[in-house]
Amino acid sequence: MEWKNTADVVIIGGGIIGVSTAYYLAKEGMENIVLIEKGTICGGSTGRCGAGIRAQWGTEMNCRLGIAALDIFEQLDDELGMSVGLNQGGYLLVAYNEEEFETLRKGMVLQNSLGINSRMISLKEAREICPGLSADDAFGFFFHGRDGHADPFLTTFAYLEAAKKMGVTCFRHTTCTGIVVEDNVVKGVETERGTISAPIVINCAGAYAQFIAKMAGIDIPNWGERHEIMITEPVAPGVCPCMLMSFSGNYYIQQRPHGSIICGMSPEGHPEDFEMKTTWNFLEEMSRTLVRLLPRTKGIRVARQWSGMYDMTPDAQPIIGETDVKNFYHSTGYSGHGFMLAPVAGKILAQHLAGKTPDIDFSMLDYRRFARGEHIRESNVV
Ligand SMILES: Cc1cc2nc3c(=O)[nH]c(=O)nc-3n(C[C@H](O)[C@H](O)[C@H](O)COP(=O)(O)OP(=O)(O)OC[C@H]3O[C@@H](n4cnc5c(N)ncnc54)[C@H](O)[C@@H]3O)c2cc1C
């Protein structure tokens, strides 16, 4: 593919955030958009994630983003002309003590006020939704039937193909090595293959976004956190048709349409391990949790385990918006839920850049909120 020395917009990062942003910018009529990715598309967190999608959040902003993303996901096959593998089995949230139950109940009240029809359910109903669930020690359950999961590879490639049809150029194996800034205004990017001059640059580098920001002299309080995940051999459907999740229990578990069960948990000690090692400890602990909650899984084999990076912020909510360097934007810090928010994140940033009023006012996601001490911590995170 012929190299481009100039562009109207350069996007750094070929994960779901960068690709969806490219798509929505093109859809807004912007031209000459170039996306650069240091490796392959989906080679970062996106291709390593659990790909759960939910609207059951604890902060108003995440609820608004979550339900808007669900609205988009539900019509995405038609819009992009390719299947994204959406499966809506719902998210079943499990509380293990009174305090957690109260937090989730308050979350449900907030969600309901924003049009998200989550509800409190009994153990009996939880077992109807998730047959064979063994959770006698649980304090209570909450459920939202529109939640679910999609295929991260299908979704990203569907966005990419649609973006390319609208003229977006994508350079893989192209590492951004510098941000060109003059008089505090962004002027382009330096890469290992050459410089691209551009009046707008968007940092969508996921868990590496803080390093890109630094290239322009910007400090963001993000960090990468290694999370492990595993998948079993396929078994008959119906073992865990919903996403079973607990924040204090520290797990998420879901059966894929082809029968494999995918599950993960948060690591101890927030490891900033960019080598993305996997551990025996995770395999053992996760397997124990799986069999305790779903005794029918006893004896099934683990097919694969791997790691990926969460792109964390101090309040577990993203950073979207312009920086102190004019026309240098961030869309990052999705703190373990960037796959599900990508459709709406790409769309609202593109609307803003096209001079429109975004569907959701994202001004509170400005990174300077941390310095101002204005962040509200999201509680619903594994
Ligand atoms: C184990 C695990 C489970 C998860 N489960 C879920 C889930 O159930 N639901 C959910 O919504 N989210 C989940 N996530 C989070 C989700 O994967 C991320 O939030 C999302 O993929 C972020 O997308 P992104 O495009 O910002 O980042 P990425 O997919 O990481 O893309 C960023 C890209 O930037 C590139 N890049 C970095 N530096 C440079 C450079 N210098 N030059 C050029 N390119 C560069 C990287 O190579 C990378 O491909 C999970 C994550 C993990 C690790």
Side-chain angles (χ1 to χ4, degrees):
M1 188 186 295
E2 202 182 324
W3 180 250
K4 289 191 169 207
N5 294 314
T6 59
D8 289 346
V9 184
V10 171
I11 296 169
I12 306 160
I16 185 74
I17 297 291
V19 172
S20 76
T21 305
Y23 168 79
Y24 287 107
L25 282 173
K27 199 176 167 198
E28 286 294 342
M30 294 186 76
E31 292 176 353
N32 206 6
I33 299 160
V34 172
L35 184 146
I36 57 170
E37 162 55 50
K38 72 174 177 179
T40 54
I41 300 298
C42 272
S45 306
T46 303
R48 298 161 181 272
C49 79
I53 300 167
R54 67 180 151 113
Q56 292 185 85
W57 288 100
T59 66
E60 180 173 340
M61 178 51 86
N62 276 343
C63 284
R64 286 192 191 283
L65 293 171
I67 193 70
L70 259 176
D71 288 342
I72 300 175
F73 266 113
E74 285 173 348
Q75 54 78 52
L76 206 49
D77 287 5
D78 290 339
E79 175 167 353
L80 301 179
M82 278 171 78
S83 169
V84 301
L86 179 67
N87 186 299
Q88 289 174 290
Y91 258 63
L92 177 57
L93 303 185
V94 186
Y96 283 99
N97 55 58
E98 198 171 352
E99 193 189 342
E100 183 176 30
F101 181 82
E102 193 46 25
T103 305
L104 292 182
R105 194 195 60 77
K106 280 190 189 144
M108 180 194 72
V109 171
L110 170 70
Q111 291 149 23
N112 291 172
S113 75
L114 298 167
I116 300 160
N117 296 323
S118 50
R119 58 200 171 88
M120 199 186 303
I121 62 168
S122 64
L123 174 60
K124 183 170 169 285
E125 196 179 346
R127 284 197 172 129
E128 281 160 18
I129 292 164
C130 189
L133 173 67
S134 168
D136 297 325
D137 54 342
F139 198 90
F141 303 89
F142 295 84
F143 185 69
H144 181 231
R146 280 177 69 196
D147 293 345
H149 65 90
D151 185 305
F153 296 96
L154 291 180
T155 309
T156 310
F157 284 100
Y159 268 124
L160 184 64
E161 288 310 310
K164 286 201 301 204
K165 279 190 194 133
M166 291 190 285
V168 170
T169 305
C170 172
F171 292 122
R172 300 168 177 83
H173 302 291
T174 304
T175 302
C176 175
T177 52
I179 307 291
V180 185
V181 180
E182 283 170 24
D183 298 328
N184 221 31
V185 179
V186 82
K187 296 288 176 189
V189 296
E190 287 161 2
T191 80
E192 284 176 335
R193 299 172 63 186
T195 301
I196 308 173
S197 302
I200 298 173
V201 174
I202 311 175
N203 178 3
C204 300
Y208 304 84
Q210 62 275 27
F211 308 128
I212 301 287
K214 196 84 188 158
M215 293 175 191
I218 303 285
D219 282 320
I220 51 172
N222 297 33
W223 71 95
E225 188 173 284
R226 191 243 300 140
H227 282 241
E228 296 189 61
I229 182 166
M230 70 183 204
I231 194 160
T232 70
E233 64 181 330
V235 289
V239 178
C240 191
C242 60
M243 179 74 93
L244 184 64
M245 181 178 233
S246 172
F247 307 114
S248 71
N250 187 20
Y251 58 76
Y252 59 87
I253 302 169
Q254 171 144 56
Q255 190 169 23
R256 295 281 180 182
H258 68 280
S260 292
I261 297 166
I262 191 163
C263 48
M265 58 192 275
S266 261
E268 260 180 51
H270 310 288
E272 199 175 31
D273 165 24
F274 283 97
E275 282 178 31
M276 292 182 257
K277 288 196 251 353
T278 53
T279 64
W280 179 253
N281 189 39
F282 165 78
L283 196 61
E284 238 180 28
E285 253 194 73
M286 192 70 244
S287 303
R288 267 202 213 104
T289 304
L290 186 61
V291 173
R292 177 169 50 78
L293 285 158
L294 300 166
R296 288 162 67 185
T297 60
K298 191 168 179 177
I300 67 173
R301 287 171 295 190
V302 175
R304 196 161 72 88
Q305 76 178 110
W306 67 95
S307 283
M309 300 302 285
Y310 271 26
D311 46 341
M312 297 301 300
T313 65
D315 61 3
Q317 297 191 87
I319 290 176
I320 310 178
E322 200 179 17
T323 66
D324 279 340
V325 170
K326 195 167 166 37
N327 293 334
F328 177 47
Y329 285 82
H330 282 131
S331 183
T332 187
Y334 288 87
S335 305
H337 37 277
F339 173 72
M340 67 182 84
L341 298 186
V344 66
K347 188 175 182 192
I348 58 179
L349 183 54
Q351 287 171 327
H352 170 78
L353 286 167
K356 291 185 176 167
T357 304
D359 290 351
I360 296 173
D361 176 6
F362 57 84
S363 50
M364 70 165 284
L365 297 176
D366 174 24
Y367 73 111
R368 284 158 287 219
R369 71 186 183 269
F370 300 110
R372 292 194 299 262
E374 280 170 8
H375 52 283
I376 305 164
R377 168 86 199 168
E378 170 60 63
S379 53
N380 292 4
V381 186
V382 168

PDB file of all heavy atoms in Angstrom, residues 166-191:
ATOM      1  N   MET A 166     -15.146   3.303   2.865  1.00  0.00           N
ATOM      2  CA  MET A 166     -15.384   4.760   2.837  1.00  0.00           C
ATOM      3  C   MET A 166     -14.076   5.530   2.706  1.00  0.00           C
ATOM      4  O   MET A 166     -14.038   6.741   2.907  1.00  0.00           O
ATOM      5  CB  MET A 166     -16.140   5.188   4.103  1.00  0.00           C
ATOM      6  CG  MET A 166     -17.574   4.673   4.115  1.00  0.00           C
ATOM      7  SD  MET A 166     -18.557   5.407   5.447  1.00  0.00           S
ATOM      8  CE  MET A 166     -17.929   4.542   6.855  1.00  0.00           C
ATOM      9  N   GLY A 167     -12.989   4.835   2.416  1.00  0.00           N
ATOM     10  CA  GLY A 167     -11.733   5.517   2.097  1.00  0.00           C
ATOM     11  C   GLY A 167     -10.694   5.569   3.196  1.00  0.00           C
ATOM     12  O   GLY A 167      -9.641   6.190   3.017  1.00  0.00           O
ATOM     13  N   VAL A 168     -10.956   4.955   4.348  1.00  0.00           N
ATOM     14  CA  VAL A 168      -9.963   4.974   5.437  1.00  0.00           C
ATOM     15  C   VAL A 168      -8.758   4.123   5.037  1.00  0.00           C
ATOM     16  O   VAL A 168      -8.906   3.029   4.487  1.00  0.00           O
ATOM     17  CB  VAL A 168     -10.583   4.434   6.752  1.00  0.00           C
ATOM     18  CG1 VAL A 168      -9.512   4.214   7.819  1.00  0.00           C
ATOM     19  CG2 VAL A 168     -11.664   5.391   7.263  1.00  0.00           C
ATOM     20  N   THR A 169      -7.559   4.631   5.314  1.00  0.00           N
ATOM     21  CA  THR A 169      -6.325   3.885   5.040  1.00  0.00           C
ATOM     22  C   THR A 169      -5.789   3.322   6.344  1.00  0.00           C
ATOM     23  O   THR A 169      -5.765   4.030   7.356  1.00  0.00           O
ATOM     24  CB  THR A 169      -5.251   4.828   4.442  1.00  0.00           C
ATOM     25  OG1 THR A 169      -5.806   5.458   3.300  1.00  0.00           O
ATOM     26  CG2 THR A 169      -3.988   4.063   4.057  1.00  0.00           C
ATOM     27  N   CYS A 170      -5.356   2.062   6.300  1.00  0.00           N
ATOM     28  CA  CYS A 170      -4.854   1.434   7.529  1.00  0.00           C
ATOM     29  C   CYS A 170      -3.442   0.901   7.271  1.00  0.00           C
ATOM     30  O   CYS A 170      -3.243   0.080   6.375  1.00  0.00           O
ATOM     31  CB  CYS A 170      -5.822   0.303   7.884  1.00  0.00           C
ATOM     32  SG  CYS A 170      -5.250  -0.720   9.216  1.00  0.00           S
ATOM     33  N   PHE A 171      -2.470   1.427   8.045  1.00  0.00           N
ATOM     34  CA  PHE A 171      -1.094   0.918   7.946  1.00  0.00           C
ATOM     35  C   PHE A 171      -0.793   0.055   9.163  1.00  0.00           C
ATOM     36  O   PHE A 171      -0.691   0.562  10.291  1.00  0.00           O
ATOM     37  CB  PHE A 171      -0.090   2.079   7.903  1.00  0.00           C
ATOM     38  CG  PHE A 171      -0.154   2.898   6.646  1.00  0.00           C
ATOM     39  CD1 PHE A 171      -0.401   4.262   6.707  1.00  0.00           C
ATOM     40  CD2 PHE A 171       0.043   2.307   5.400  1.00  0.00           C
ATOM     41  CE1 PHE A 171      -0.450   5.032   5.542  1.00  0.00           C
ATOM     42  CE2 PHE A 171      -0.006   3.070   4.231  1.00  0.00           C
ATOM     43  CZ  PHE A 171      -0.258   4.432   4.307  1.00  0.00           C
ATOM     44  N   ARG A 172      -0.678  -1.243   8.928  1.00  0.00           N
ATOM     45  CA  ARG A 172      -0.277  -2.154  10.009  1.00  0.00           C
ATOM     46  C   ARG A 172       1.237  -2.132  10.125  1.00  0.00           C
ATOM     47  O   ARG A 172       1.921  -1.639   9.243  1.00  0.00           O
ATOM     48  CB  ARG A 172      -0.733  -3.580   9.696  1.00  0.00           C
ATOM     49  CG  ARG A 172      -2.227  -3.722   9.535  1.00  0.00           C
ATOM     50  CD  ARG A 172      -2.561  -5.082   8.953  1.00  0.00           C
ATOM     51  NE  ARG A 172      -4.006  -5.294   8.852  1.00  0.00           N
ATOM     52  CZ  ARG A 172      -4.759  -4.853   7.859  1.00  0.00           C
ATOM     53  NH1 ARG A 172      -4.224  -4.167   6.860  1.00  0.00           N
ATOM     54  NH2 ARG A 172      -6.059  -5.088   7.832  1.00  0.00           N
ATOM     55  N   HIS A 173       1.772  -2.731  11.180  1.00  0.00           N
ATOM     56  CA  HIS A 173       3.223  -2.795  11.411  1.00  0.00           C
ATOM     57  C   HIS A 173       3.864  -1.425  11.246  1.00  0.00           C
ATOM     58  O   HIS A 173       4.896  -1.267  10.609  1.00  0.00           O
ATOM     59  CB  HIS A 173       3.859  -3.827  10.467  1.00  0.00           C
ATOM     60  CG  HIS A 173       3.252  -5.187  10.646  1.00  0.00           C
ATOM     61  ND1 HIS A 173       3.442  -5.933  11.779  1.00  0.00           N
ATOM     62  CD2 HIS A 173       2.426  -5.908   9.858  1.00  0.00           C
ATOM     63  CE1 HIS A 173       2.775  -7.062  11.683  1.00  0.00           C
ATOM     64  NE2 HIS A 173       2.140  -7.074  10.536  1.00  0.00           N
ATOM     65  N   THR A 174       3.194  -0.438  11.804  1.00  0.00           N
ATOM     66  CA  THR A 174       3.668   0.954  11.709  1.00  0.00           C
ATOM     67  C   THR A 174       3.618   1.560  13.107  1.00  0.00           C
ATOM     68  O   THR A 174       2.550   1.913  13.613  1.00  0.00           O
ATOM     69  CB  THR A 174       2.758   1.754  10.729  1.00  0.00           C
ATOM     70  OG1 THR A 174       2.745   1.067   9.473  1.00  0.00           O
ATOM     71  CG2 THR A 174       3.237   3.175  10.545  1.00  0.00           C
ATOM     72  N   THR A 175       4.779   1.653  13.731  1.00  0.00           N
ATOM     73  CA  THR A 175       4.836   2.129  15.117  1.00  0.00           C
ATOM     74  C   THR A 175       4.948   3.643  15.169  1.00  0.00           C
ATOM     75  O   THR A 175       5.799   4.226  14.490  1.00  0.00           O
ATOM     76  CB  THR A 175       6.060   1.498  15.828  1.00  0.00           C
ATOM     77  OG1 THR A 175       5.938   0.082  15.763  1.00  0.00           O
ATOM     78  CG2 THR A 175       6.161   1.942  17.278  1.00  0.00           C
ATOM     79  N   CYS A 176       4.089   4.255  15.974  1.00  0.00           N
ATOM     80  CA  CYS A 176       4.203   5.692  16.218  1.00  0.00           C
ATOM     81  C   CYS A 176       5.379   5.912  17.175  1.00  0.00           C
ATOM     82  O   CYS A 176       5.425   5.315  18.256  1.00  0.00           O
ATOM     83  CB  CYS A 176       2.902   6.203  16.836  1.00  0.00           C
ATOM     84  SG  CYS A 176       2.993   7.920  17.313  1.00  0.00           S
ATOM     85  N   THR A 177       6.314   6.757  16.767  1.00  0.00           N
ATOM     86  CA  THR A 177       7.501   6.996  17.608  1.00  0.00           C
ATOM     87  C   THR A 177       7.537   8.423  18.169  1.00  0.00           C
ATOM     88  O   THR A 177       8.371   8.726  19.013  1.00  0.00           O
ATOM     89  CB  THR A 177       8.784   6.748  16.788  1.00  0.00           C
ATOM     90  OG1 THR A 177       8.694   7.514  15.573  1.00  0.00           O
ATOM     91  CG2 THR A 177       8.959   5.274  16.451  1.00  0.00           C
ATOM     92  N   GLY A 178       6.666   9.274  17.659  1.00  0.00           N
ATOM     93  CA  GLY A 178       6.652  10.650  18.158  1.00  0.00           C
ATOM     94  C   GLY A 178       5.400  11.387  17.711  1.00  0.00           C
ATOM     95  O   GLY A 178       4.740  10.988  16.736  1.00  0.00           O
ATOM     96  N   ILE A 179       5.055  12.427  18.454  1.00  0.00           N
ATOM     97  CA  ILE A 179       3.933  13.297  18.062  1.00  0.00           C
ATOM     98  C   ILE A 179       4.552  14.651  17.716  1.00  0.00           C
ATOM     99  O   ILE A 179       5.338  15.195  18.508  1.00  0.00           O
ATOM    100  CB  ILE A 179       2.918  13.476  19.221  1.00  0.00           C
ATOM    101  CG1 ILE A 179       2.446  12.124  19.772  1.00  0.00           C
ATOM    102  CG2 ILE A 179       1.733  14.346  18.799  1.00  0.00           C
ATOM    103  CD1 ILE A 179       1.572  11.320  18.847  1.00  0.00           C
ATOM    104  N   VAL A 180       4.223  15.160  16.547  1.00  0.00           N
ATOM    105  CA  VAL A 180       4.780  16.454  16.137  1.00  0.00           C
ATOM    106  C   VAL A 180       3.886  17.555  16.701  1.00  0.00           C
ATOM    107  O   VAL A 180       2.680  17.591  16.422  1.00  0.00           O
ATOM    108  CB  VAL A 180       4.858  16.562  14.591  1.00  0.00           C
ATOM    109  CG1 VAL A 180       5.552  17.862  14.190  1.00  0.00           C
ATOM    110  CG2 VAL A 180       5.550  15.351  13.991  1.00  0.00           C
ATOM    111  N   VAL A 181       4.503  18.422  17.503  1.00  0.00           N
ATOM    112  CA  VAL A 181       3.750  19.522  18.122  1.00  0.00           C
ATOM    113  C   VAL A 181       4.504  20.822  17.855  1.00  0.00           C
ATOM    114  O   VAL A 181       5.720  20.883  18.053  1.00  0.00           O
ATOM    115  CB  VAL A 181       3.627  19.317  19.653  1.00  0.00           C
ATOM    116  CG1 VAL A 181       2.847  20.462  20.305  1.00  0.00           C
ATOM    117  CG2 VAL A 181       2.978  17.976  19.982  1.00  0.00           C
ATOM    118  N   GLU A 182       3.777  21.833  17.383  1.00  0.00           N
ATOM    119  CA  GLU A 182       4.397  23.162  17.212  1.00  0.00           C
ATOM    120  C   GLU A 182       3.502  24.196  17.873  1.00  0.00           C
ATOM    121  O   GLU A 182       2.285  24.205  17.622  1.00  0.00           O
ATOM    122  CB  GLU A 182       4.524  23.490  15.708  1.00  0.00           C
ATOM    123  CG  GLU A 182       5.666  22.772  15.018  1.00  0.00           C
ATOM    124  CD  GLU A 182       5.608  22.944  13.501  1.00  0.00           C
ATOM    125  OE1 GLU A 182       5.013  23.937  13.014  1.00  0.00           O
ATOM    126  OE2 GLU A 182       6.132  22.054  12.800  1.00  0.00           O
ATOM    127  N   ASP A 183       4.082  25.054  18.673  1.00  0.00           N
ATOM    128  CA  ASP A 183       3.320  26.086  19.393  1.00  0.00           C
ATOM    129  C   ASP A 183       2.091  25.497  20.073  1.00  0.00           C
ATOM    130  O   ASP A 183       0.982  26.050  19.985  1.00  0.00           O
ATOM    131  CB  ASP A 183       2.894  27.216  18.430  1.00  0.00           C
ATOM    132  CG  ASP A 183       4.092  27.916  17.833  1.00  0.00           C
ATOM    133  OD1 ASP A 183       5.127  28.001  18.543  1.00  0.00           O
ATOM    134  OD2 ASP A 183       4.005  28.346  16.670  1.00  0.00           O
ATOM    135  N   ASN A 184       2.273  24.350  20.671  1.00  0.00           N
ATOM    136  CA  ASN A 184       1.198  23.675  21.419  1.00  0.00           C
ATOM    137  C   ASN A 184       0.014  23.221  20.549  1.00  0.00           C
ATOM    138  O   ASN A 184      -1.100  23.037  21.030  1.00  0.00           O
ATOM    139  CB  ASN A 184       0.681  24.580  22.548  1.00  0.00           C
ATOM    140  CG  ASN A 184       0.442  23.777  23.795  1.00  0.00           C
ATOM    141  OD1 ASN A 184       1.137  22.771  24.034  1.00  0.00           O
ATOM    142  ND2 ASN A 184      -0.551  24.163  24.575  1.00  0.00           N
ATOM    143  N   VAL A 185       0.272  23.048  19.258  1.00  0.00           N
ATOM    144  CA  VAL A 185      -0.758  22.542  18.339  1.00  0.00           C
ATOM    145  C   VAL A 185      -0.191  21.300  17.680  1.00  0.00           C
ATOM    146  O   VAL A 185       0.968  21.289  17.245  1.00  0.00           O
ATOM    147  CB  VAL A 185      -1.091  23.602  17.248  1.00  0.00           C
ATOM    148  CG1 VAL A 185      -2.136  23.066  16.275  1.00  0.00           C
ATOM    149  CG2 VAL A 185      -1.549  24.897  17.878  1.00  0.00           C
ATOM    150  N   VAL A 186      -0.996  20.230  17.583  1.00  0.00           N
ATOM    151  CA  VAL A 186      -0.493  18.999  16.968  1.00  0.00           C
ATOM    152  C   VAL A 186      -0.354  19.186  15.457  1.00  0.00           C
ATOM    153  O   VAL A 186      -1.182  19.849  14.820  1.00  0.00           O
ATOM    154  CB  VAL A 186      -1.399  17.789  17.328  1.00  0.00           C
ATOM    155  CG1 VAL A 186      -2.625  17.708  16.427  1.00  0.00           C
ATOM    156  CG2 VAL A 186      -0.627  16.478  17.282  1.00  0.00           C
ATOM    157  N   LYS A 187       0.698  18.610  14.904  1.00  0.00           N
ATOM    158  CA  LYS A 187       0.944  18.777  13.467  1.00  0.00           C
ATOM    159  C   LYS A 187       1.089  17.445  12.748  1.00  0.00           C
ATOM    160  O   LYS A 187       1.245  17.408  11.528  1.00  0.00           O
ATOM    161  CB  LYS A 187       2.236  19.587  13.236  1.00  0.00           C
ATOM    162  CG  LYS A 187       2.172  21.005  13.748  1.00  0.00           C
ATOM    163  CD  LYS A 187       1.259  21.866  12.885  1.00  0.00           C
ATOM    164  CE  LYS A 187       1.106  23.264  13.459  1.00  0.00           C
ATOM    165  NZ  LYS A 187       0.077  24.049  12.777  1.00  0.00           N
ATOM    166  N   GLY A 188       1.092  16.343  13.503  1.00  0.00           N
ATOM    167  CA  GLY A 188       1.224  15.049  12.847  1.00  0.00           C
ATOM    168  C   GLY A 188       1.906  14.036  13.745  1.00  0.00           C
ATOM    169  O   GLY A 188       2.068  14.261  14.952  1.00  0.00           O
ATOM    170  N   VAL A 189       2.290  12.923  13.117  1.00  0.00           N
ATOM    171  CA  VAL A 189       2.954  11.859  13.887  1.00  0.00           C
ATOM    172  C   VAL A 189       4.242  11.437  13.185  1.00  0.00           C
ATOM    173  O   VAL A 189       4.351  11.503  11.951  1.00  0.00           O
ATOM    174  CB  VAL A 189       2.047  10.614  14.050  1.00  0.00           C
ATOM    175  CG1 VAL A 189       0.802  10.932  14.851  1.00  0.00           C
ATOM    176  CG2 VAL A 189       1.677   9.990  12.706  1.00  0.00           C
ATOM    177  N   GLU A 190       5.188  10.996  14.000  1.00  0.00           N
ATOM    178  CA  GLU A 190       6.385  10.355  13.446  1.00  0.00           C
ATOM    179  C   GLU A 190       6.209   8.861  13.616  1.00  0.00           C
ATOM    180  O   GLU A 190       5.717   8.403  14.660  1.00  0.00           O
ATOM    181  CB  GLU A 190       7.630  10.819  14.207  1.00  0.00           C
ATOM    182  CG  GLU A 190       8.032  12.239  13.878  1.00  0.00           C
ATOM    183  CD  GLU A 190       8.950  12.834  14.939  1.00  0.00           C
ATOM    184  OE1 GLU A 190       9.296  12.128  15.906  1.00  0.00           O
ATOM    185  OE2 GLU A 190       9.294  14.014  14.786  1.00  0.00           O
ATOM    186  N   THR A 191       6.607   8.118  12.593  1.00  0.00           N
ATOM    187  CA  THR A 191       6.526   6.670  12.699  1.00  0.00           C
ATOM    188  C   THR A 191       7.850   6.083  12.225  1.00  0.00           C
ATOM    189  O   THR A 191       8.680   6.801  11.641  1.00  0.00           O
ATOM    190  CB  THR A 191       5.395   6.081  11.814  1.00  0.00           C
ATOM    191  OG1 THR A 191       5.860   5.993  10.456  1.00  0.00           O
ATOM    192  CG2 THR A 191       4.133   6.915  11.860  1.00  0.00           C
TER     193      THR A 191
END
